[in-house]
Amino acid sequence: MQSDYELVTFALADDVEEVKAQVENMRLPGYHFYDDKRWDGKVFLDFHITTTPTVFLLDRDKTIVCKPYDWKELMEWIKSNN
């Protein structure tokens, strides 16, 4: 069964290898982006990055439907919207 949503994460970090290892360890399906410019990058400004990683849930129209503060909030949103 295909999900109605796509997970997108943005990580701001000094070490891309650390980010890759964390994504692989968590086995998160979705799209994961990395910006080594950290808080000075365009991604930080354009998407209002508040934590790293910042998580977005997009619907089929690629509209941001959830930007949770943490994983718990994401899971609560998913439970209440399924």
Side-chain angles (χ1 to χ4, degrees):
M1 181 168 103
Q2 185 168 345
S3 172
D4 290 338
Y5 305 100
E6 291 286 347
L7 182 72
V8 177
T9 66
F10 285 98
L12 308 178
D14 290 326
D15 184 0
V16 68
E17 295 305 319
E18 178 184 344
V19 173
K20 286 181 185 178
Q22 289 179 6
V23 168
E24 288 176 15
N25 185 42
M26 295 179 77
R27 297 182 179 155
L28 293 173
Y31 301 94
H32 308 285
F33 299 94
Y34 162 79
D35 188 349
D36 62 352
K37 293 183 182 174
R38 298 181 49 95
W39 309 110
D40 295 323
K42 186 169 174 21
V43 170
F44 168 72
L45 296 171
D46 288 353
F47 293 98
H48 307 285
I49 303 299
T50 55
T51 60
T52 187
T54 292
V55 177
F56 299 92
L57 203 59
L58 281 59
D59 67 11
R60 289 181 181 204
D61 296 323
K62 306 298 183 223
T63 301
I64 297 171
V65 294
C66 181
K67 183 183 172 192
Y69 176 73
D70 57 20
W71 298 113
K72 180 181 176 192
E73 189 175 308
L74 174 63
M75 297 310 295
E76 289 171 359
W77 187 93
I78 290 170
K79 283 182 185 178
S80 68
N81 287 279
N82 283 324

